[in-house]
Amino acid sequence: MTAENFTGQVAIITGAGQGIGFEIAKQIALQGAAVLINDVNQELANNAVTAIKNLGGNCIALVGDAADIDFIQQMVDTAVQQFGKLTIAIANAGITLYGDFLEYPASSLQSVMSLNLLGSFFLAQRAARQIIKQKSGGSILFMSSVTGHQAHKDLAAYGMTKAGLEMLAKSLVVELSPLQITVNTVAPGATLTERTLEDESYQDTWSRITPMGRPANVQDVANAVLFLVSPQAKHITGQNIVVDGGWTAVSTSPY
Ligand SMILES: NC(=O)c1ccc[n+]([C@@H]2O[C@H](COP(=O)([O-])OP(=O)(O)OC[C@H]3O[C@@H](n4cnc5c(N)ncnc54)[C@H](O)[C@@H]3O)[C@@H](O)[C@H]2O)c1
């Protein structure tokens, strides 16, 4: 994709202080978009904005909980006030709370569903309302996971939310396609981020069981996301791209 690909576009990216979200924010800003970077962690959000501005990108931070509906509306309003419009919404923030199904507490289920599903649903809703007012279309993207395709031990709640996001994208095709809004998902496999690298065996384990011989890096995932929200993908909607180095083709267990 060229440097001009996102010129004139305005994007919101949730959970973009580090990891996959930060890489998406960096790449899309460096290709011309103005970006609202959300994170619940103030230090991470501010550091992300400083890093991207130092590279020449145009972005602002908005600190808050991407699961909170009032805050979601504030993100949309702030993007419009600061940058004049909103054309791209990327619901990237998501949490993974591991736990044995037979002991899994309601509080964990509520937290996972609240951010992964409710936060993504209402970001899509509020972004779509704004994009419709502008009458020139836009793109919504949900961050799924291969855990929404293949069963993983101790991840029933998380996997359920990621499978749900892929069905949400398909469902919204009915209502949002006539308004020229695309809705797609990206499902990363094991990806090297600050969080996953806290597990010292993560890289070796996933290198061993991934057909391409390594886990994804954040650039691999961001490349797929940028394609799906770019002008090149404006006739692609309701679809998912798996970025997993072939893992779901064989699905060798990490355990
Ligand atoms: N890393 C992986 O291996 C992997 C694999 C498949 C899917 N995913 C998905 O990709 C997305 C990003 O994953 P990651 O590993 O880069 O994320 P991460 O766990 O590193 O978190 C990214 C950011 O989200 C922020 N955040 C957490 N809760 C938030 C909230 N309520 N509101 C706003 N921000 C919040 C964190 O502070 C953090 O800076 C998630 O949806 C995750 O489920 C990740």
Side-chain angles (χ1 to χ4, degrees), residues 14-22 38-41 44-45 64-67 71 91-96 115-116 143-147 158 162 165 186-196 202 218 221:
T14 61
Q18 65 174 17
I20 293 169
F22 172 70
N38 156 255
D39 205 284
V40 75
N41 180 313
L44 289 176
D65 182 358
F71 177 72
N92 168 73
I95 50 168
T96 313
L115 180 60
N116 299 13
M143 192 57 71
S144 179
S145 167
V146 294
T147 313
Y158 177 79
K162 295 302 188 178
L165 287 174
V186 167
T191 305
L192 299 178
T193 62
E194 292 86 343
R195 176 177 59 83
T196 57
Y202 190 86
V218 291
V221 180

Short mmCIF file of all heavy atoms in Angstrom, two decimals, residues 14-22 38-41 44-45 64-67 71 91-96 115-116 143-147 158 162 165 186-196 202 218 221, ligand 1:
data_model
loop_
_atom_site.label_atom_id
_atom_site.label_comp_id
_atom_site.label_asym_id
_atom_site.label_seq_id
_atom_site.Cartn_x
_atom_site.Cartn_y
_atom_site.Cartn_z
N THR A 14 -9.18 1.16 19.28
CA THR A 14 -9.23 0.94 20.73
C THR A 14 -8.09 0.01 21.16
O THR A 14 -7.61 -0.82 20.39
CB THR A 14 -10.58 0.33 21.15
OG1 THR A 14 -10.76 -0.93 20.50
CG2 THR A 14 -11.74 1.26 20.81
N GLY A 15 -7.67 0.16 22.42
CA GLY A 15 -6.60 -0.68 22.96
C GLY A 15 -5.32 -0.55 22.16
O GLY A 15 -4.61 -1.52 21.92
N ALA A 16 -4.99 0.70 21.79
CA ALA A 16 -3.87 0.92 20.86
C ALA A 16 -2.62 1.45 21.54
O ALA A 16 -1.71 1.93 20.88
CB ALA A 16 -4.31 1.87 19.73
N GLY A 17 -2.55 1.34 22.86
CA GLY A 17 -1.36 1.82 23.57
C GLY A 17 -0.15 0.93 23.36
O GLY A 17 0.99 1.37 23.50
N GLN A 18 -0.41 -0.34 23.08
CA GLN A 18 0.70 -1.28 22.82
C GLN A 18 0.19 -2.41 21.93
O GLN A 18 -0.97 -2.43 21.53
CB GLN A 18 1.26 -1.85 24.14
CG GLN A 18 0.26 -2.71 24.88
CD GLN A 18 0.86 -3.39 26.12
OE1 GLN A 18 1.90 -3.02 26.61
NE2 GLN A 18 0.17 -4.41 26.61
N GLY A 19 1.07 -3.35 21.64
CA GLY A 19 0.67 -4.57 20.95
C GLY A 19 0.15 -4.34 19.54
O GLY A 19 0.61 -3.45 18.81
N ILE A 20 -0.81 -5.16 19.16
CA ILE A 20 -1.35 -5.13 17.80
C ILE A 20 -1.98 -3.77 17.49
O ILE A 20 -1.78 -3.20 16.40
CB ILE A 20 -2.38 -6.27 17.63
CG1 ILE A 20 -1.68 -7.64 17.71
CG2 ILE A 20 -3.16 -6.12 16.34
CD1 ILE A 20 -2.64 -8.82 17.84
N GLY A 21 -2.74 -3.24 18.43
CA GLY A 21 -3.43 -1.96 18.22
C GLY A 21 -2.46 -0.83 17.94
O GLY A 21 -2.70 0.02 17.07
N PHE A 22 -1.37 -0.80 18.68
CA PHE A 22 -0.36 0.25 18.46
C PHE A 22 0.22 0.14 17.05
O PHE A 22 0.39 1.15 16.36
CB PHE A 22 0.75 0.17 19.50
CG PHE A 22 1.88 1.12 19.19
CD1 PHE A 22 1.71 2.49 19.31
CD2 PHE A 22 3.10 0.64 18.74
CE1 PHE A 22 2.74 3.37 18.99
CE2 PHE A 22 4.13 1.51 18.41
CZ PHE A 22 3.96 2.88 18.54
N ASN A 38 -7.02 5.07 21.47
CA ASN A 38 -7.63 4.83 22.79
C ASN A 38 -6.84 3.78 23.55
O ASN A 38 -6.39 2.79 22.97
CB ASN A 38 -9.08 4.34 22.62
CG ASN A 38 -9.54 3.55 23.84
OD1 ASN A 38 -9.63 2.32 23.79
ND2 ASN A 38 -9.77 4.21 24.93
N ASP A 39 -6.71 3.99 24.84
CA ASP A 39 -6.25 2.93 25.75
C ASP A 39 -6.77 3.26 27.13
O ASP A 39 -6.98 4.42 27.46
CB ASP A 39 -4.71 2.81 25.77
CG ASP A 39 -4.28 1.41 26.18
OD1 ASP A 39 -4.34 1.09 27.39
OD2 ASP A 39 -3.91 0.61 25.30
N VAL A 40 -6.97 2.22 27.94
CA VAL A 40 -7.41 2.45 29.32
C VAL A 40 -6.23 2.86 30.19
O VAL A 40 -6.42 3.40 31.28
CB VAL A 40 -8.11 1.16 29.84
CG1 VAL A 40 -7.11 0.07 30.18
CG2 VAL A 40 -9.04 1.46 31.01
N ASN A 41 -5.03 2.64 29.69
CA ASN A 41 -3.80 2.96 30.44
C ASN A 41 -3.23 4.27 29.89
O ASN A 41 -2.79 4.35 28.74
CB ASN A 41 -2.81 1.80 30.25
CG ASN A 41 -1.50 2.03 30.98
OD1 ASN A 41 -0.92 3.11 30.89
ND2 ASN A 41 -1.04 1.01 31.68
N LEU A 44 0.49 4.32 28.60
CA LEU A 44 0.65 3.64 27.30
C LEU A 44 0.06 4.48 26.17
O LEU A 44 0.66 4.60 25.10
CB LEU A 44 -0.02 2.26 27.33
CG LEU A 44 0.66 1.20 28.19
CD1 LEU A 44 -0.17 -0.09 28.20
CD2 LEU A 44 2.08 0.91 27.68
N ALA A 45 -1.10 5.08 26.42
CA ALA A 45 -1.74 5.91 25.37
C ALA A 45 -0.85 7.10 25.02
O ALA A 45 -0.63 7.40 23.84
CB ALA A 45 -3.11 6.37 25.84
N GLY A 64 -9.58 5.85 28.31
CA GLY A 64 -10.86 5.42 28.87
C GLY A 64 -11.14 3.98 28.54
O GLY A 64 -10.36 3.33 27.83
N ASP A 65 -12.25 3.51 29.07
CA ASP A 65 -12.64 2.10 28.97
C ASP A 65 -13.46 1.86 27.70
O ASP A 65 -14.59 2.35 27.58
CB ASP A 65 -13.45 1.73 30.22
CG ASP A 65 -13.87 0.27 30.25
OD1 ASP A 65 -13.56 -0.46 29.29
OD2 ASP A 65 -14.51 -0.11 31.25
N ALA A 66 -12.90 1.10 26.78
CA ALA A 66 -13.56 0.83 25.49
C ALA A 66 -14.80 -0.06 25.63
O ALA A 66 -15.45 -0.37 24.64
CB ALA A 66 -12.57 0.22 24.51
N ALA A 67 -15.12 -0.46 26.86
CA ALA A 67 -16.35 -1.22 27.10
C ALA A 67 -17.50 -0.33 27.57
O ALA A 67 -18.62 -0.80 27.72
CB ALA A 67 -16.09 -2.31 28.15
N PHE A 71 -18.43 6.35 27.04
CA PHE A 71 -17.07 6.68 26.60
C PHE A 71 -16.91 6.40 25.09
O PHE A 71 -16.21 7.14 24.38
CB PHE A 71 -16.03 5.90 27.42
CG PHE A 71 -14.63 6.16 26.94
CD1 PHE A 71 -14.02 7.39 27.17
CD2 PHE A 71 -13.95 5.21 26.19
CE1 PHE A 71 -12.74 7.65 26.68
CE2 PHE A 71 -12.68 5.46 25.70
CZ PHE A 71 -12.08 6.68 25.94
N ALA A 91 -12.21 -1.94 16.35
CA ALA A 91 -12.44 -2.43 17.72
C ALA A 91 -11.39 -3.49 18.01
O ALA A 91 -11.61 -4.68 17.78
CB ALA A 91 -13.85 -2.99 17.83
N ASN A 92 -10.25 -3.02 18.48
CA ASN A 92 -9.11 -3.92 18.71
C ASN A 92 -9.03 -4.38 20.17
O ASN A 92 -8.58 -5.50 20.44
CB ASN A 92 -7.81 -3.20 18.32
CG ASN A 92 -6.58 -3.93 18.80
OD1 ASN A 92 -6.22 -4.98 18.26
ND2 ASN A 92 -5.95 -3.42 19.85
N ALA A 93 -9.45 -3.53 21.10
CA ALA A 93 -9.30 -3.87 22.53
C ALA A 93 -10.04 -5.16 22.84
O ALA A 93 -11.19 -5.35 22.44
CB ALA A 93 -9.82 -2.73 23.40
N GLY A 94 -9.34 -6.05 23.54
CA GLY A 94 -9.97 -7.32 23.93
C GLY A 94 -9.18 -7.91 25.07
O GLY A 94 -7.96 -7.73 25.13
N ILE A 95 -9.86 -8.60 25.98
CA ILE A 95 -9.12 -9.25 27.06
C ILE A 95 -9.30 -10.76 27.02
O ILE A 95 -10.33 -11.27 26.54
CB ILE A 95 -9.48 -8.72 28.47
CG1 ILE A 95 -11.00 -8.69 28.68
CG2 ILE A 95 -8.83 -7.39 28.75
CD1 ILE A 95 -11.39 -8.46 30.12
N THR A 96 -8.29 -11.43 27.54
CA THR A 96 -8.25 -12.89 27.59
C THR A 96 -8.18 -13.29 29.06
O THR A 96 -7.16 -13.06 29.69
CB THR A 96 -6.96 -13.39 26.89
OG1 THR A 96 -6.82 -12.72 25.65
CG2 THR A 96 -6.98 -14.89 26.66
N LEU A 115 -15.99 -6.15 27.35
CA LEU A 115 -15.04 -5.48 26.45
C LEU A 115 -15.09 -6.08 25.05
O LEU A 115 -15.26 -5.36 24.05
CB LEU A 115 -13.62 -5.56 27.01
CG LEU A 115 -12.55 -4.87 26.14
CD1 LEU A 115 -12.84 -3.39 25.96
CD2 LEU A 115 -11.17 -5.05 26.73
N ASN A 116 -14.96 -7.41 24.96
CA ASN A 116 -14.79 -8.03 23.63
C ASN A 116 -16.06 -7.90 22.78
O ASN A 116 -15.96 -7.62 21.58
CB ASN A 116 -14.43 -9.50 23.79
CG ASN A 116 -13.11 -9.72 24.53
OD1 ASN A 116 -12.57 -8.80 25.13
ND2 ASN A 116 -12.58 -10.92 24.50
N MET A 143 -11.47 -7.11 15.95
CA MET A 143 -10.33 -8.01 16.13
C MET A 143 -10.81 -9.33 16.71
O MET A 143 -11.24 -9.41 17.86
CB MET A 143 -9.28 -7.38 17.04
CG MET A 143 -7.97 -8.12 17.03
SD MET A 143 -7.23 -8.27 15.38
CE MET A 143 -6.73 -6.56 15.09
N SER A 144 -10.78 -10.36 15.90
CA SER A 144 -11.19 -11.70 16.32
C SER A 144 -9.95 -12.46 16.80
O SER A 144 -8.98 -11.88 17.29
CB SER A 144 -11.87 -12.40 15.14
OG SER A 144 -12.27 -13.70 15.49
N SER A 145 -9.96 -13.77 16.67
CA SER A 145 -8.84 -14.63 17.07
C SER A 145 -9.08 -16.01 16.50
O SER A 145 -10.24 -16.43 16.33
CB SER A 145 -8.78 -14.72 18.61
OG SER A 145 -7.91 -15.77 19.00
N VAL A 146 -8.00 -16.75 16.29
CA VAL A 146 -8.19 -18.16 15.89
C VAL A 146 -8.90 -18.94 16.99
O VAL A 146 -9.46 -20.01 16.73
CB VAL A 146 -6.86 -18.85 15.52
CG1 VAL A 146 -6.25 -18.24 14.27
CG2 VAL A 146 -5.87 -18.83 16.68
N THR A 147 -8.91 -18.39 18.20
CA THR A 147 -9.65 -19.04 19.30
C THR A 147 -11.16 -19.00 19.05
O THR A 147 -11.91 -19.71 19.70
CB THR A 147 -9.29 -18.36 20.64
OG1 THR A 147 -7.87 -18.21 20.69
CG2 THR A 147 -9.73 -19.17 21.83
N TYR A 158 -13.53 -16.54 26.15
CA TYR A 158 -12.84 -15.71 25.15
C TYR A 158 -13.18 -16.19 23.73
O TYR A 158 -13.53 -15.39 22.85
CB TYR A 158 -11.34 -15.79 25.41
CG TYR A 158 -10.45 -15.07 24.43
CD1 TYR A 158 -10.28 -13.69 24.50
CD2 TYR A 158 -9.74 -15.78 23.46
CE1 TYR A 158 -9.42 -13.04 23.62
CE2 TYR A 158 -8.89 -15.13 22.58
CZ TYR A 158 -8.74 -13.76 22.66
OH TYR A 158 -7.90 -13.12 21.78
N LYS A 162 -14.99 -14.21 20.46
CA LYS A 162 -14.34 -13.98 19.16
C LYS A 162 -15.18 -14.58 18.02
O LYS A 162 -15.31 -13.97 16.95
CB LYS A 162 -12.92 -14.53 19.17
CG LYS A 162 -12.00 -13.81 20.17
CD LYS A 162 -11.89 -12.31 19.88
CE LYS A 162 -10.84 -11.61 20.72
NZ LYS A 162 -10.71 -10.18 20.40
N LEU A 165 -17.95 -12.15 17.35
CA LEU A 165 -17.58 -10.96 16.57
C LEU A 165 -17.64 -11.25 15.07
O LEU A 165 -18.02 -10.40 14.27
CB LEU A 165 -16.18 -10.49 16.96
CG LEU A 165 -16.06 -9.80 18.32
CD1 LEU A 165 -14.60 -9.52 18.64
CD2 LEU A 165 -16.87 -8.51 18.34
N VAL A 186 -10.40 -9.59 11.51
CA VAL A 186 -9.10 -10.27 11.34
C VAL A 186 -8.94 -11.19 12.55
O VAL A 186 -9.21 -10.80 13.69
CB VAL A 186 -7.95 -9.25 11.27
CG1 VAL A 186 -6.59 -9.94 11.43
CG2 VAL A 186 -7.99 -8.52 9.93
N ALA A 187 -8.54 -12.44 12.29
CA ALA A 187 -8.35 -13.41 13.36
C ALA A 187 -6.87 -13.79 13.44
O ALA A 187 -6.40 -14.65 12.69
CB ALA A 187 -9.20 -14.65 13.10
N PRO A 188 -6.14 -13.14 14.34
CA PRO A 188 -4.73 -13.52 14.49
C PRO A 188 -4.60 -14.86 15.20
O PRO A 188 -5.42 -15.20 16.06
CB PRO A 188 -4.14 -12.41 15.38
CG PRO A 188 -5.17 -11.34 15.49
CD PRO A 188 -6.49 -12.01 15.22
N GLY A 189 -3.56 -15.59 14.86
CA GLY A 189 -3.12 -16.71 15.69
C GLY A 189 -2.17 -16.15 16.74
O GLY A 189 -2.16 -14.94 17.02
N ALA A 190 -1.35 -17.02 17.30
CA ALA A 190 -0.40 -16.58 18.31
C ALA A 190 0.44 -15.44 17.76
O ALA A 190 1.03 -15.56 16.67
CB ALA A 190 0.50 -17.74 18.70
N THR A 191 0.49 -14.33 18.49
CA THR A 191 1.17 -13.13 18.02
C THR A 191 2.10 -12.60 19.11
O THR A 191 1.71 -12.53 20.27
CB THR A 191 0.13 -12.04 17.66
OG1 THR A 191 -0.80 -12.59 16.72
CG2 THR A 191 0.78 -10.81 17.06
N LEU A 192 3.30 -12.24 18.71
CA LEU A 192 4.28 -11.72 19.67
C LEU A 192 3.94 -10.28 20.03
O LEU A 192 3.96 -9.40 19.16
CB LEU A 192 5.69 -11.79 19.08
CG LEU A 192 6.18 -13.19 18.72
CD1 LEU A 192 7.57 -13.11 18.09
CD2 LEU A 192 6.18 -14.10 19.94
N THR A 193 3.56 -10.07 21.28
CA THR A 193 3.28 -8.73 21.79
C THR A 193 3.91 -8.63 23.18
O THR A 193 4.36 -9.64 23.73
CB THR A 193 1.76 -8.49 21.94
OG1 THR A 193 1.25 -9.42 22.90
CG2 THR A 193 1.02 -8.65 20.63
N GLU A 194 3.88 -7.43 23.72
CA GLU A 194 4.41 -7.26 25.09
C GLU A 194 3.73 -8.27 26.02
O GLU A 194 4.37 -8.85 26.89
CB GLU A 194 4.12 -5.83 25.59
CG GLU A 194 4.90 -4.74 24.86
CD GLU A 194 4.20 -4.25 23.59
OE1 GLU A 194 3.29 -4.93 23.06
OE2 GLU A 194 4.60 -3.17 23.09
N ARG A 195 2.42 -8.47 25.86
CA ARG A 195 1.67 -9.35 26.77
C ARG A 195 2.05 -10.81 26.58
O ARG A 195 2.38 -11.50 27.55
CB ARG A 195 0.16 -9.16 26.53
CG ARG A 195 -0.72 -10.08 27.34
CD ARG A 195 -2.18 -9.77 27.09
NE ARG A 195 -2.59 -9.91 25.70
CZ ARG A 195 -2.92 -11.05 25.12
NH1 ARG A 195 -2.91 -12.16 25.82
NH2 ARG A 195 -3.28 -11.09 23.85
N THR A 196 2.04 -11.30 25.32
CA THR A 196 2.31 -12.73 25.13
C THR A 196 3.76 -13.07 25.45
O THR A 196 4.07 -14.17 25.89
CB THR A 196 1.95 -13.20 23.71
OG1 THR A 196 2.69 -12.42 22.76
CG2 THR A 196 0.46 -13.06 23.43
N TYR A 202 6.56 -18.84 25.18
CA TYR A 202 5.56 -18.59 24.14
C TYR A 202 6.14 -18.68 22.72
O TYR A 202 5.63 -19.40 21.87
CB TYR A 202 4.95 -17.21 24.38
CG TYR A 202 3.74 -16.88 23.54
CD1 TYR A 202 2.47 -17.26 23.95
CD2 TYR A 202 3.86 -16.17 22.34
CE1 TYR A 202 1.34 -16.94 23.19
CE2 TYR A 202 2.75 -15.86 21.58
CZ TYR A 202 1.50 -16.24 22.01
OH TYR A 202 0.39 -15.94 21.26
N VAL A 218 3.40 -8.31 15.13
CA VAL A 218 2.29 -7.36 15.04
C VAL A 218 2.15 -6.78 13.63
O VAL A 218 1.04 -6.43 13.20
CB VAL A 218 2.42 -6.23 16.09
CG1 VAL A 218 2.20 -6.77 17.50
CG2 VAL A 218 3.77 -5.51 16.00
N VAL A 221 -0.23 -8.88 11.46
CA VAL A 221 -1.65 -8.67 11.74
C VAL A 221 -2.09 -7.30 11.22
O VAL A 221 -3.13 -7.17 10.57
CB VAL A 221 -1.92 -8.79 13.26
CG1 VAL A 221 -3.40 -8.57 13.55
CG2 VAL A 221 -1.47 -10.16 13.78
N1 LIG B 1 -1.57 -11.20 21.00
C1 LIG B 1 -2.13 -12.28 20.50
O1 LIG B 1 -1.51 -13.36 20.42
C2 LIG B 1 -3.54 -12.24 19.96
C3 LIG B 1 -4.02 -13.34 19.23
C4 LIG B 1 -5.31 -13.32 18.73
C5 LIG B 1 -6.11 -12.22 18.94
N2 LIG B 1 -5.64 -11.15 19.66
C6 LIG B 1 -6.54 -10.01 19.87
O2 LIG B 1 -5.92 -8.85 19.37
C7 LIG B 1 -6.32 -7.72 20.16
C8 LIG B 1 -5.09 -7.01 20.67
O3 LIG B 1 -4.29 -7.97 21.36
P1 LIG B 1 -2.90 -7.56 22.06
O4 LIG B 1 -2.29 -8.84 22.51
O5 LIG B 1 -2.17 -6.64 21.16
O6 LIG B 1 -3.49 -6.74 23.29
P2 LIG B 1 -2.91 -6.39 24.74
O7 LIG B 1 -3.42 -7.38 25.73
O8 LIG B 1 -1.47 -6.12 24.67
O9 LIG B 1 -3.73 -5.05 25.01
C9 LIG B 1 -3.61 -3.95 24.15
C10 LIG B 1 -4.03 -2.74 24.91
O10 LIG B 1 -5.41 -2.78 25.28
C11 LIG B 1 -5.55 -2.00 26.45
N3 LIG B 1 -6.82 -2.26 27.11
C12 LIG B 1 -7.14 -3.30 27.92
N4 LIG B 1 -8.42 -3.16 28.35
C13 LIG B 1 -8.91 -2.04 27.78
C14 LIG B 1 -10.15 -1.37 27.84
N5 LIG B 1 -11.16 -1.83 28.61
N6 LIG B 1 -10.30 -0.23 27.12
C15 LIG B 1 -9.29 0.27 26.39
N7 LIG B 1 -8.09 -0.32 26.30
C16 LIG B 1 -7.90 -1.46 26.99
C17 LIG B 1 -4.32 -2.39 27.27
O11 LIG B 1 -4.02 -1.39 28.25
C18 LIG B 1 -3.25 -2.53 26.23
O12 LIG B 1 -2.45 -1.38 26.07
C19 LIG B 1 -7.25 -8.28 21.25
O13 LIG B 1 -8.59 -8.15 20.84
C20 LIG B 1 -6.86 -9.74 21.33
O14 LIG B 1 -7.92 -10.55 21.80
C21 LIG B 1 -4.37 -11.13 20.17
#
